[in-house]
Amino acid sequence: LAGLWEMTESAERAIRNWDLTLAQSAELIAKEKLLALPGERFSYGGLSYNVAGRITEVVSGMPFEQFMLERLLKPLGMKDTTFKPDADQGERVVNISKPAGQSHHTTLFSFDPEKDSLRKKLILVGGGLYASAKDLAIFLQMHLNGGIYAGNRILSETTVAEMQKDQIGNANVSYHPVPESQDYGLGWVRDRFGRNGETRSVSHPGMFGTIQWIDSDRNLVGILFTPMPLQYTHPIHRLVRAQVLALFPIED
């Protein structure tokens, strides 16, 4: 399926028309022509995530939003995480801006719960969650613990390990969320490896400035919320993550 920067107009509508249901979104995506046969090409983007979300609905028999709430968010106690913030939650959603000269910024997005949340039907599976830093830290800690948080198993150890394995193989990489990388698991960019090729650190950037990472060697998780488009925050993220590595040196 097409990645973020190669979608047709009809594909764009499938994940940007907020009046659609997730089922209708998947139906539109199913009509799109494949850009390559499975396994030949890797292209990161929102179409594939919406299809995966719809499959979850069919298998579970419940809306994706409800599935996430009952199987992930409630068991983890992630009370600030939702696809559709209400008015009270919306007051804490930060503006997205970009630099506009020295010490100035231009606002690109300011959250309006009536327009941006409550009226939307469509769930954007690949980038639609709003969360707090605390909630995201809980989610990452669960992954660091091999699928367990506060004594409760949320994901199987096998699932967590599979998400961190190479899923690209010999496929040609046409679009990757981190341009300098050629490694990708399931939802994770694979950053660092051990002597036997095992994954030791994973991360994932967000289009509007979030970076999250898990470092198994140092037994830590990291989060940065930098509310600007990724092209402006990527250098900041690299610098901060390098400083964190330097603060917690490990023996090779």
Side-chain angles (χ1 to χ4, degrees), residues 163-231:
M163 291 177 71
Q164 296 189 17
K165 290 180 181 177
D166 172 36
Q167 303 293 337
I168 293 180
N170 296 321
N172 176 52
V173 178
S174 60
Y175 175 68
H176 195 289
V178 180
E180 62 267 27
S181 176
Q182 296 289 304
D183 285 290
Y184 203 80
L186 294 173
W188 291 118
V189 177
R190 303 168 71 241
D191 295 326
R192 200 175 66 253
F193 314 97
R195 288 190 180 93
N196 298 318
E198 71 277 13
T199 306
R200 304 305 303 164
S201 181
V202 295
S203 65
H204 210 287
M207 183 177 289
F208 297 110
T210 298
I211 184 70
Q212 53 191 320
W213 73 93
I214 300 171
D215 190 324
S216 299
D217 288 325
R218 292 167 175 79
N219 194 34
L220 66 80
V221 300
I223 304 163
L224 285 174
F225 285 166
T226 320
M228 292 186 291
L230 186 59
Q231 64 263 37

Side-chain angles (χ1 to χ4, degrees), residues 48-203:
S48 54
Y49 281 100
N50 266 32
V51 172
R54 176 55 185 158
I55 292 171
T56 302
E57 289 189 332
V58 173
V59 173
S60 68
M62 66 179 76
F64 184 75
E65 184 178 11
Q66 182 184 350
F67 178 87
M68 286 285 288
L69 183 65
E70 294 186 8
R71 297 290 294 274
L72 185 72
L73 303 181
K74 278 186 176 179
L76 285 173
M78 295 173 64
K79 299 178 181 179
D80 276 334
T81 304
T82 178
F83 283 103
K84 297 178 180 179
D86 58 26
D88 291 336
Q89 292 168 319
E91 290 182 354
R92 293 186 289 138
V93 176
V94 298
N95 293 341
I96 305 298
S97 60
K98 70 174 183 178
Q102 189 173 5
S103 301
H104 294 282
H105 289 81
T106 298
T107 299
L108 300 176
F109 170 78
S110 182
F111 184 80
D112 180 342
E114 282 294 326
K115 181 181 69 174
D116 300 313
S117 177
L118 301 181
R119 293 181 181 178
K120 288 181 178 180
K121 290 182 181 178
L122 183 63
I123 295 297
L124 186 59
V125 176
L129 276 175
Y130 294 81
S132 64
K134 179 181 179 180
D135 274 13
L136 186 52
I138 290 172
F139 176 77
L140 297 176
Q141 186 68 49
M142 179 268 290
H143 275 270
L144 181 63
N145 294 346
I148 295 175
Y149 184 76
N152 299 317
R153 179 159 292 283
I154 308 300
L155 297 175
S156 72
E157 192 171 5
T158 301
T159 296
V160 173
E162 188 66 27
M163 291 177 71
Q164 296 189 17
K165 290 180 181 177
D166 172 36
Q167 303 293 337
I168 293 180
N170 296 321
N172 176 52
V173 178
S174 60
Y175 175 68
H176 195 289
V178 180
E180 62 267 27
S181 176
Q182 296 289 304
D183 285 290
Y184 203 80
L186 294 173
W188 291 118
V189 177
R190 303 168 71 241
D191 295 326
R192 200 175 66 253
F193 314 97
R195 288 190 180 93
N196 298 318
E198 71 277 13
T199 306
R200 304 305 303 164
S201 181
V202 295
S203 65

